[in-house]
Amino acid sequence: MTGMPVNGIDHIRFVVGNARQSAYFYRNAFGFDVIGYAGLETGMRQESGYVLRQGNIILVLTSPLRPTHQFNSRLTMHGDGVADVAFSVSDVEEAYRIALRAGAEGVRAPETIKDAHGSVDMAVVKTYGDTTHTLINRSHYTGLFMPGYQPIEPERYSARRSRETGLRDIDHIVGNVEAGQMNSWISYYENVMGFESILAFDKREIHTSTTALHSRVVRGANGSVTLPINEPASGNRRSQVDEFLYFYSGPGVQHIALTTDNIVDTVEVLRENDVSFLPVPDKYYENLEKRVGALSVEISDLKRLGIVADRDSNGCLLQTFTKPVSDRPTVFFEIIQRHGATTFGQQNFTALFEAIEKEQAARGTL
Ligand code: FE2
């Protein structure tokens, strides 16, 4: 497969209404450390930024400081959400050239930004909706994250370390696109990024009695980047993907799955920190081990914490889903622990989507 060479996910950038308060949420609820800040005090005049890190996961939270900033219209349209998934590449100019030649739309041509700590090369291309991919090389930079960002000073923003929750890596990032658009975005990742299409589910596999969706998955960068893409399929009622498209005003990132090596401990702490999870009906846990085989954790712990299990030919996985993290029913998180399984919990789709539909019904959007 050709396409530009991607090394992995560098970071995920959210545009939010109030980055300072969102940083507090991701620190105190999800256990990220707030390690860097950019804003008026660091010479950034138009926007603020907070860099959060946990394990190998880097999130950047950005808010506009002035009414003329382009992020304002984005916030009106989409609310808080993922604006950019940055891929690390070795040669930004080369990657950008290959991407454009393969059909990607450029947003920002390659540039190098510098300060006393070195340089960062970056360029930006479009993907679905108003979402972009920054192509970035930070390997010649020894400072904190990138020029403009400084370490958090306690008097400016509490640098208190968060309570560890054990989140380690980004497992996958899911996009929702409009009906009929999934295949062309899958082709985009195949042609532009050189990713491989690895799985496809049609509406016979992902449905409840009332709604359905299609999903396909691309993977690249030696398996380190996995991007499922969903589109709504015809059903009697408005599916969770339709609901997302309505409240996000178009395609965008639906959920981010984060790995842990101990999902029971992780979800225990997240729940104590007041993270809300999708409820799983008690009856799901009846005969669970008959359905998925022996598990290395107590079923009572899974039931208490709302964790579901699945098995594929390579092993098993444990997973659970938060409720949306903002008032608009849009982006949410998945917590996942893999014991060999390489798929996405296909056997749980119906149970989870029924749980989501209960939430949708409460919101009057089913
Ligand atoms: Fe997922």
Side-chain angles (χ1 to χ4, degrees):
M1 193 75 69
T2 53
M4 65 178 227
V6 172
N7 299 330
I9 294 171
D10 188 274
H11 64 271
I12 299 175
R13 180 181 295 268
F14 287 74
V15 171
V16 297
N18 187 336
R20 178 163 299 219
Q21 289 189 4
S22 290
Y24 184 86
F25 171 75
Y26 285 105
R27 182 184 69 176
N28 291 312
F30 280 85
F32 283 84
D33 287 320
V34 181
I35 60 166
Y37 166 75
L40 295 173
E41 300 87 344
T42 75
M44 300 274 272
R45 307 311 298 174
Q46 301 300 322
E47 63 200 57
S48 65
Y50 291 79
V51 185
L52 288 81
R53 190 172 60 203
Q54 180 167 193
N56 300 313
I57 311 158
I58 297 178
L59 305 182
V60 180
L61 310 172
T62 310
S63 287
L65 293 175
R66 298 276 303 136
T68 47
H69 198 294
Q70 55 165 350
F71 286 164
N72 290 292
S73 55
R74 166 184 196 97
L75 287 166
T76 304
M77 285 285 283
H78 307 307
D80 289 6
V82 174
D84 186 272
V85 176
F87 292 136
S88 72
V89 300
S90 303
D91 183 335
V92 170
E93 286 215 12
E94 165 89 348
Y96 186 77
R97 195 171 62 240
I98 293 172
L100 262 54
R101 202 172 54 210
E105 191 181 323
V107 176
R108 260 170 84 175
E111 61 181 317
T112 300
I113 48 174
K114 292 181 180 156
D115 69 10
H117 302 288
S119 63
V120 172
D121 300 328
M122 54 191 291
V124 182
V125 297
K126 258 179 79 67
T127 181
Y128 44 74
D130 285 334
T131 317
T132 55
H133 289 302
T134 292
L135 315 176
I136 192 165
N137 179 352
R138 297 195 292 116
S139 66
H140 305 296
Y141 193 69
T142 57
L144 187 123
F145 191 57
M146 65 164 69
Y149 285 85
Q150 289 179 8
I152 287 286
E153 293 170 32
E155 68 272 20
R156 189 162 293 145
Y157 182 93
S158 164
R160 181 171 71 80
R161 283 184 65 85
S162 57
R163 182 174 170 200
E164 297 256 324
T165 60
L167 298 171
R168 196 193 61 203
D169 277 299
I170 296 166
D171 188 87
H172 58 275
I173 301 173
V174 181
N176 281 341
V177 301
E178 305 99 322
Q181 297 301 309
M182 175 183 70
N183 286 332
S184 61
W185 286 111
I186 292 291
S187 302
Y188 166 90
Y189 284 104
E190 289 175 326
N191 298 332
V192 173
M193 312 282 172
F195 291 179
E196 230 182 310
S197 168
I198 57 163
L199 272 176
F201 303 103
D202 69 17
K203 65 178 183 182
R204 285 165 309 195
E205 293 161 288
I206 311 186
H207 67 90
T208 66
S209 57
T210 50
T211 72
L213 60 93
H214 300 140
S215 188
R216 288 181 67 183
V217 184
V218 284
R219 178 170 287 163
N222 295 317
S224 69
V225 180
T226 304
L227 306 175
I229 297 178
N230 301 326
E231 68 178 8
S234 51
N236 310 332
R237 308 293 290 270
R238 190 190 287 174
S239 76
Q240 53 167 308
V241 181
D242 293 307
E243 185 196 43
F244 177 98
L245 294 168
Y246 178 77
F247 283 99
Y248 199 75
S249 322
V253 170
Q254 178 212 38
H255 76 266
I256 298 166
L258 304 176
T259 66
T260 168
D261 294 326
N262 185 336
I263 195 167
V264 169
D265 285 356
T266 294
V267 175
E268 190 110 58
V269 177
L270 292 173
R271 282 183 176 271
E272 282 170 17
N273 291 348
D274 247 352
V275 175
S276 302
F277 287 89
L278 208 57
V280 179
D282 284 353
K283 78 172 188 341
Y284 171 87
Y285 296 95
E286 289 167 15
N287 305 315
L288 179 59
E289 285 194 317
K290 273 204 185 115
R291 301 199 308 273
V292 300
L295 296 166
S296 57
V297 288
E298 295 292 331
I299 301 296
S300 58
D301 284 335
L302 301 185
K303 184 174 177 179
R304 177 169 59 82
L305 297 167
I307 297 165
V308 297
D310 196 13
R311 184 176 297 275
D312 63 24
S313 55
N314 296 307
C316 69
L317 64 78
L318 300 165
Q319 63 186 166
T320 185
F321 298 83
T322 73
K323 291 187 181 181
V325 290
S326 56
D327 290 306
R328 296 196 198 196
T330 54
V331 68
F332 60 88
F333 288 84
E334 171 181 350
I335 311 301
I336 184 165
Q337 181 179 6
R338 294 184 180 276
H339 291 282
T342 55
T343 51
F344 300 90
Q346 192 185 343
Q347 293 181 64
N348 297 323
F349 286 167
T350 300
L352 289 165
F353 295 170
E354 281 168 0
I356 290 174
E357 284 176 4
K358 271 195 188 151
E359 302 287 310
Q360 280 183 256
R363 294 191 282 259
T365 60
L366 183 60

